[in-house]
Amino acid sequence: MQWMLWAAAGALLLLLGAGLWYLAESRKTAPWYYRQAMRHYAAQQWDKAQELLQKAYALEPEMPTLAYYIGETYLQRERDAEARPYLEAALERDPDDVNALYNLALVHYHLQEHGGAMDLLDRANALAEGGDAEIHYCRGIVLEALQRHAEAKEAYGQALAREPDNALS
């Protein structure tokens, strides 16, 4: 008889635990998932960051930074084609997002779409008011791919002028 009481108490505790777990899971919000994802993002744990970002995106697809960071996690793992729609969605929400423009330009470049990459880098450069060395450096790379060597040299020079100690420039 005593074992039946223990079994019933154990089953009750198991049900209570499952109920509490369900309640905790159901109360997780997009901002909660986003905060957790950013911890993994900062640690460069791209798979886990993306998993959490996707959960946030499913709950709140209009949250401004989610599409950008999902695209970024794909880009960090060299999955450019998968990054593209998220970076494009980020730009739909904020057409002046210099980081999204720059990263989408990288996607275009990696996919051998150099003209598209150049357009995006030019937009990013205009929004950054010409002051970002990394944009100029990438412009140089894309201009070389487009066989526009004199312009590439100028872009590298602009990158170097902005960051003289940068080995990439």
Side-chain angles (χ1 to χ4, degrees):
M1 179 77 169
Q2 192 175 20
W3 68 270
M4 289 178 68
L5 289 173
W6 284 109
L12 184 60
L13 285 174
L14 186 62
L15 287 173
L16 181 61
L20 290 174
W21 176 84
Y22 176 78
L23 183 62
E25 283 296 307
S26 67
R27 292 188 178 202
K28 291 179 181 171
T29 63
W32 185 88
Y33 282 115
Y34 175 77
R35 286 189 303 275
Q36 300 305 311
M38 289 298 95
R39 290 182 183 147
H40 293 281
Y41 182 90
Q44 298 182 356
Q45 296 168 342
W46 310 121
D47 291 329
K48 186 62 176 176
Q50 183 185 7
E51 174 189 330
L52 293 164
L53 288 165
Q54 291 283 8
K55 288 180 179 183
Y57 195 72
L59 293 171
E60 203 172 317
E62 295 305 314
M63 193 171 161
T65 57
L66 291 176
Y68 170 78
Y69 280 110
I70 292 171
E72 175 73 12
T73 60
Y74 278 121
L75 190 60
Q76 290 294 335
R77 292 174 293 152
E78 299 179 10
R79 294 168 60 183
D80 300 292
E82 293 164 282
R84 183 183 207 149
Y86 290 101
L87 294 170
E88 289 171 345
L91 284 172
E92 285 177 20
R93 289 174 181 78
D94 182 3
D96 295 338
D97 183 336
V98 173
N99 291 322
L101 286 165
Y102 177 80
N103 285 330
L104 187 55
L106 292 178
V107 167
H108 278 264
Y109 176 75
H110 294 152
L111 296 175
Q112 305 296 311
E113 299 168 357
H114 301 125
M118 196 69 232
D119 292 342
L120 292 161
L121 287 169
D122 285 342
R123 280 180 51 202
N125 191 46
L127 289 166
E129 299 177 2
D132 190 298
E134 194 169 343
I135 292 172
H136 285 292
Y137 178 73
C138 285
R139 286 182 74 248
I141 292 171
V142 173
L143 287 164
E144 280 188 36
L146 292 169
Q147 303 296 313
R148 293 164 52 186
H149 302 292
E151 292 172 85
K153 183 178 179 180
E154 182 181 331
Y156 291 135
Q158 290 172 340
L160 189 57
R162 281 156 182 79
E163 289 186 20
D165 297 329
N166 188 337
L168 293 177
S169 301

